[in-house]
Amino acid sequence: MISFSTTQIVDYLKSKDPAIHHFLLEKADRYRQENRGRAVYFRGLIEYSNICSQNCFYCGLRRDNLFIKRYHLDREEIISLAMEAHNNGYQSICLQSGQVSSSKEIDLVAEVVATIKELSGKKGQGLGITLSLGELSYQQYQQLWNAGAHRYLLRIETSNPVLFQKIHPPEQSFSRRLECLQALREIGYQVGTGVMIGFPGQSYEDLAYDLQFFREKDIDMLGMGPYIPHPDVPLADEKKEYISDVFGTSIKMLALARIMMPDINMVASTALQSIHPDGLKMGLKAGANIVMPILTPEKNRQDYMLYANKKHSAFETLQQDIKAAGYEPTLWQWGDSPHYFKRKREQAKGE
Ligand code: 5AD
């Protein structure tokens, strides 16, 4: 495992030298192959609701965006999407929504999770379930864990607390986000976090600290993607951009993350695929080993626009593209992050 100093990371990120770019990608691919092989695992993404109580300045789902039609799939629809995914070879799904922390909502999700586990468990180990529902209470995370979810994604968005506050309203806090990540870890989830890359006000130094933050927090999964402006949110009017090549910087961030954290799972995000035709291929070459095809029904997809021009690729196309990039689309396997098991073993030894 390699450590880089902050200045070294900043130099790499700022560099326009193709040799540096090549060096990072080559090293990341080698580390990935040694630690995670050529396999690319799928998480079928079911965006079951766009209702959100939060008001993040960058996100199209924010509470005050009145231009989108709000939807919530009913339990039968979510369960049938999950089971259809399972029949098509998915071994994991991710349930994602805007943040709604009422007990009614969490009871519903917990029941859905338990039902999917039971139905899919009839064939082998069943579907792995990742959740991405935002900030909830410790008890709610525990309830969802007890129902059978075992991975959770909660992006920190930026590890700089001052910058965090600039892109969120006062009632949302950095410390609360950290508490949630800690709670998830304590309960036993495989924990994923991540940041947006290239939003107004963010510097190369901030990105270097983000990578160090992921290492320090000992995370199991990473989801980073370029920031893409949404026309109807406050951050769209902000022009203080310090990062010049958002796509190239995102690729280098992935490569550095893979080099610094060889055994984690890392996604080639939809945002990365949305801003560049070769986003998927480049993301994989930079060390990503997870892809999250969108399984949300077509009728709802245009209402889950976190940012403008969100891309959707069919499962078959994704599999072909993964093969064409030289990797192995891997069905019927959970593909958990070995990092998680390693840290659990170490924790057990220390107790
Ligand atoms: N650009 C890129 N990513 C975004 N997200 C939300 N809005 C945007 C945007 N404008 C990401 C956030 C969030 C995840 C669900 O989507 O990082 O955690």
Side-chain angles (χ1 to χ4, degrees):
M1 194 161 59
I2 291 189
S3 291
F4 294 115
S5 69
T6 312
T7 35
Q8 216 168 359
I9 297 175
V10 170
D11 285 347
Y12 284 141
L13 292 176
K14 278 185 177 165
S15 168
K16 297 205 167 33
D17 184 353
I20 294 287
H21 195 88
H22 182 77
F23 161 78
L24 290 174
L25 256 72
E26 190 272 324
K27 215 176 181 57
D29 197 40
R30 189 150 47 81
Y31 272 53
R32 170 247 182 65
Q33 298 213 28
E34 281 168 17
N35 291 277
R36 303 300 284 113
R38 305 189 81 79
V40 176
Y41 302 100
F42 297 96
R43 314 288 183 235
L45 181 61
I46 303 174
E47 299 151 325
Y48 68 85
S49 160
N50 67 355
I51 301 168
C52 192
S53 62
Q54 301 289 76
N55 226 353
C56 309
F57 296 160
Y58 46 86
C59 181
L61 304 194
R62 70 195 302 270
R63 184 180 74 219
D64 285 354
N65 182 10
L66 304 178
F67 294 108
I68 57 167
K69 200 167 93 223
R70 301 289 168 170
Y71 71 87
H72 194 305
L73 305 186
D74 58 31
R75 73 174 282 284
E76 286 73 22
E77 202 169 1
I78 308 172
I79 294 165
S80 85
L81 284 167
M83 294 314 293
E84 194 185 319
H86 197 37
N87 290 335
N88 289 331
Y90 284 90
Q91 199 58 50
S92 283
I93 53 161
C94 175
L95 300 179
Q96 192 180 70
S97 70
Q99 185 174 314
V100 177
S101 54
S102 66
S103 49
K104 184 167 164 240
E105 175 73 1
I106 301 308
D107 288 351
L108 175 118
V109 182
E111 194 274 326
V112 165
V113 167
T115 306
I116 295 171
K117 289 303 284 186
E118 196 199 319
L119 293 174
S120 63
K122 289 179 183 148
K123 286 196 258 157
Q125 66 175 345
L127 277 169
I129 301 184
T130 308
L131 298 177
S132 174
L133 322 178
E135 296 173 0
L136 304 175
S137 71
Y138 193 101
Q139 289 73 17
Q140 290 175 320
Y141 286 144
Q142 184 72 58
Q143 182 187 356
L144 294 162
W145 166 267
N146 294 347
H150 73 136
R151 308 186 191 109
Y152 203 102
L153 305 174
L154 181 65
R155 287 188 179 180
I156 192 76
E157 312 299 356
T158 171
S159 63
N160 175 342
V162 176
L163 194 58
F164 182 97
Q165 217 53 70
K166 286 196 176 138
I167 60 170
H168 296 99
E171 68 271 18
Q172 291 175 234
S173 80
F174 185 76
S175 57
R176 170 87 189 105
R177 194 66 59 105
L178 286 182
E179 277 166 25
C180 287
L181 288 169
Q182 182 57 28
L184 291 163
R185 184 178 163 96
E186 270 173 40
I187 292 168
Y189 282 95
Q190 295 177 34
V191 181
T193 192
V195 294
M196 293 181 297
I197 298 166
F199 62 85
Q202 188 184 43
S203 67
Y204 289 103
E205 282 75 13
D206 289 322
L207 292 176
Y209 290 129
D210 289 342
L211 290 171
Q212 288 160 345
F213 171 90
F214 303 143
R215 264 270 284 260
E216 200 184 287
K217 293 288 168 199
D218 201 21
I219 59 157
D220 308 306
M221 310 181 293
L222 182 58
M224 294 187 290
Y227 163 72
I228 307 174
H230 185 292
D232 305 318
V233 303
L235 211 63
D237 304 325
E238 200 47 73
K239 291 283 169 276
K240 253 196 321 192
E241 272 128 11
Y242 301 126
I243 288 158
S244 51
D245 168 16
V246 173
F247 180 73
T249 305
S250 301
I251 294 296
K252 281 194 269 184
M253 282 290 284
L254 290 182
L256 284 160
R258 176 55 77 199
I259 297 166
M260 292 168 70
M261 295 165 285
D263 58 358
I264 62 166
N265 274 350
M266 186 164 72
V267 71
S269 66
T270 308
L272 194 67
Q273 298 174 53
S274 298
I275 61 161
H276 196 286
D278 282 338
L280 173 63
K281 185 171 136 201
M282 297 291 290
L284 296 174
K285 289 203 177 294
N289 68 326
I290 301 285
V291 172
M292 298 173 72
I294 298 171
L295 306 182
T296 309
E298 211 168 327
K299 66 176 177 10
N300 305 110
R301 253 180 244 153
Q302 72 284 0
D303 296 316
Y304 208 89
M305 287 292 165
L306 305 160
Y307 42 81
N309 304 317
K310 187 166 152 236
K311 191 179 168 188
H312 172 261
S313 300
F315 192 29
E316 294 69 29
T317 317
L318 286 166
Q319 291 188 59
Q320 283 162 13
D321 291 350
I322 292 165
K323 275 194 205 141
Y327 300 95
E328 204 59 52
T330 306
L331 304 175
W332 302 118
Q333 287 184 39
W334 276 14
D336 283 320
S337 136
H339 183 83
Y340 172 77
F341 299 104
K342 204 164 97 197
R343 79 170 164 86
K344 287 308 244 186
R345 276 196 304 274
E346 277 160 20
Q347 258 165 296
K349 261 193 255 159
E351 271 162 15

